[in-house]
Amino acid sequence: MRDEPLSILEKNFALEALQAGIRVDGRKVDEARLVDFEFSSTQHGTVTVRLGKTKVLSSVTAEVVEPTADRPAEGFVTFSVDLSPMASEVLVLEYLSSGRSSSTLEEASEIVRFLQQLIRESNAIDTETLCIVAGVQVWAIRVDIHVLDHGGNVLDACCMAALASLLHMRRPDVTIVGNDVFIHSIEEREPIALTIHHLPISVSFGIFSDGDLVAVDPNLQEESVMEGTLSIAVNAHKEVCAFRKAGGAPMETTAIFKCASSAYLRATEVTMQLEKALSKTNNIAIASVKPLEVETTKKSFPLNEHIEGVTAVWKQVAEQQTYLDNEKLATPSHPGVINKTEFENSADESDDEAFKNSDDLLSSTDSDEEMAMPVIARPKGGKGRSKNIK
Amino acid sequence: MSYEHSSSGRRDGRKSYEIRGFRCELGYLERADGSCKLEQGKTQVVAAVYGHLEARGRTELPDRTFIEVSIRPCQGYTSDYLRLRERELEEVFIATVATELQPRSCVAIILQIVENDGSLMSAMINAGMLALLSAGIPCHWIATSCTVSYRRTEGFLLDPILVEEAEGYATAVTSYSFQGQESDPSQNLIGLSFRGFVCSQDIYFQSLAYSREACKKVFEFIRLVVEKSQALDCGYAEP
């Protein structure tokens, strides 16, 4: 990737501060930024992760496909990382001039490779449970990650986002009756979660001063002066799941062991945050399941051609789950946010020609009225912007 | 000339001429010059604008600014269908942005679809407009948009959700321009994109009138958002 547009002064300052044992954003050398998980209230498997100023959106979808011949009883998990042009000016300029430069694609594919090691090869997600009928049908899980805002350490943010969205994801329930496979829609049966065995959290370190200095979770300014990077993925059971030190300045082995311990501490911290954020979403039903009587299920895949006209009669009364409104969900806990507004716009039908509706708008901004909630409007990023993570 | 949809109400209880509520966050991203996260019901779009960048090669036009629109879907890559939508959005934004003011420069508008629950094109136009305002790009007017879904015999619905769009026979994305405090010009249609066909001429013209009123609501919302954000800016003490 092209050089970030930072001045030489800024870069030198970041390096000198590190050498003095402090960081430009006030953190200690072994202190990582706060991470925030924002799960979608309307769609399973969509999450926006904020790691300091870095923002990453991750979305998971599931599809039924045929398995490969050599692994007939396993499903697939594929990752796709999009370094969106909205993430930085450098990316936009590259997008405009040449479509997509090779270095951007390289960086994206490096993140994908690390994600594969982290989640697939460490068996965090059980691909055998994704099997529906061996040799015929399996689930293909696709994780799409979009980097919205590049504020340094995109790799860690992508990994956290991928994991969080996999945990949040719910796939349709499947029933096998004899030789027929019935895939229930989310209205019929509550969708079920994926089987995740452990939570590997990636922690990245920046290497400075020819291997002498190591700082965890480098931000943008620090990334511009770092000479190498080390990423260690640890889970809460103190197991190293993935390790990446690709070139860059050499490090002493003792420093690496120290980083591994530091990574474990960070991983436990992030795991707690993630579980806390997830437990908040579990109290809210996303798809409401109503009591129903089903004559036949929505989809059926007859495997045996001779079986015809099978109708499964399900009589089930599912629990009625309440639907929490979006308003109640998103309580603003961020300082600097004044208020939220949601408008219910409607045209008055009584006047045929003059649609005098501006009165409705004005009345709805009264603070007395329950429905009125003010707009979240933040000043343009940068100066004067209060931190929205406590 | 009152209008009433068929007796069956909409799933969320709205009338046929009612649009969903909005929720917007200006300045959502740090690095982009202007950005906004807009929610229209469940449809969510994040828009980022990089404004007045250096133009090189194909983006350098001698008499005006080059506008580039990029739509990133939630899953997968930008399909051909979305590339066509990008061209449509470019038309709206090229008309909206005051391109004659800064030739040989480039403005990039990037739209990320977070969730699609109907009226996606309209949400993208509205979000793009808010992001342009957040970036401070000079524009001729405020562009607003509303989607109309036509039924075969029962008329039309404004701001359809995804299932309503699928049930409809035709969908029109109408965009209107507004400017100034007391704006009520008779002709301010700046964008019209159609899919399908509409049987009745009466219903078609009626729907245009109704969607214009809906867009007026959007305009008022946008104005409120900008006013609030300006108030925030003034209130901060410079470090």
Side-chain angles (χ1 to χ4, degrees), chain A residues 42 149-150 343 376-377 385, chain B residues 21 24 27 30-31 50 115 232:
Chain A
T42 47
D149 217 349
H150 195 318
F343 283 95
I376 296 179
R385 187 191 165 122
Chain B
C24 157
E30 298 273 348
R31 294 201 61 179
Y50 283 89
E115 204 180 322
L232 275 172

Side-chain angles (χ1 to χ4, degrees), chain A residues 38-271:
Chain A
E38 195 187 310
F39 291 97
S40 164
S41 54
T42 47
Q43 210 178 48
H44 282 292
T46 302
V47 64
T48 305
V49 172
R50 273 192 285 226
L51 178 65
K53 292 184 180 176
T54 306
K55 284 185 195 65
V56 172
L57 166 74
S58 175
S59 171
V60 181
T61 45
E63 201 190 6
V64 179
V65 296
E66 263 182 36
T68 55
D70 55 332
R71 281 173 207 249
E74 279 182 30
F76 306 105
V77 181
T78 46
F79 299 94
S80 146
V81 170
D82 173 32
L83 282 168
S84 170
M86 69 163 65
S88 76
E89 321 71 46
V90 175
L91 286 165
V92 157
L93 288 169
E94 269 177 16
Y95 176 77
L96 289 168
S97 59
S98 56
R100 196 46 69 91
S101 83
S102 57
S103 55
T104 314
L105 288 169
E106 219 178 85
E107 196 179 332
S109 57
E110 275 173 15
I111 301 178
V112 166
R113 181 72 201 111
F114 191 70
L115 275 167
Q116 285 170 348
Q117 286 178 333
L118 185 79
I119 293 177
R120 223 166 49 188
E121 290 167 29
S122 72
N123 271 319
I125 181 165
D126 195 339
T127 46
E128 282 179 9
T129 56
L130 296 175
C131 178
I132 304 174
V133 179
V136 184
Q137 276 156 30
V138 295
W139 286 110
I141 307 288
R142 190 200 157 96
V143 184
D144 283 276
I145 298 165
H146 302 271
V147 180
L148 302 179
D149 217 349
H150 195 318
N153 201 4
V154 163
L155 178 69
D156 277 4
C158 287
C159 291
M160 289 186 216
L163 192 64
S165 57
L166 283 167
L167 282 166
H168 191 239
M169 167 68 175
R170 299 284 182 270
R171 62 164 174 85
D173 197 2
V174 174
T175 318
I176 303 173
V177 177
N179 283 335
D180 285 350
V181 174
F182 297 96
I183 297 177
H184 305 278
S185 69
I186 51 171
E187 288 94 28
E188 284 176 37
R189 287 255 206 110
E190 205 174 311
I192 55 183
L194 303 173
T195 313
I196 315 265
H197 291 309
H198 63 101
L199 306 178
I201 306 287
S202 153
V203 183
S204 295
F205 299 83
I207 306 165
F208 306 85
S209 289
D210 214 19
D212 295 331
L213 276 174
V214 171
V216 74
D217 190 18
N219 67 12
L220 195 63
Q221 222 173 328
E222 290 160 352
E223 271 193 0
S224 65
V225 282
M226 80 183 174
E227 290 159 21
T229 173
L230 166 71
S231 302
I232 308 179
V234 194
N235 64 18
H237 308 296
K238 268 196 176 176
E239 297 165 337
V240 173
C241 309
F243 189 96
R244 180 171 175 266
K245 178 165 186 338
M251 271 175 79
E252 283 190 21
T253 44
T254 43
I256 294 185
F257 288 124
K258 213 168 134 212
C259 285
S261 324
S262 174
Y264 167 65
L265 291 171
R266 168 72 170 161
T268 43
E269 186 190 306
V270 173
T271 309

Side-chain angles (χ1 to χ4, degrees), chain B residues 8 57 75 87 93 98 125 135 151 160 171 175 187 199 230 233:
Chain B
S8 59
Q75 288 104 25
R87 298 289 90 78
F93 289 124
I125 293 172
R151 302 298 153 106
T171 314
S175 310
Q187 283 157 29
C199 298
Q230 292 305 308
D233 268 332

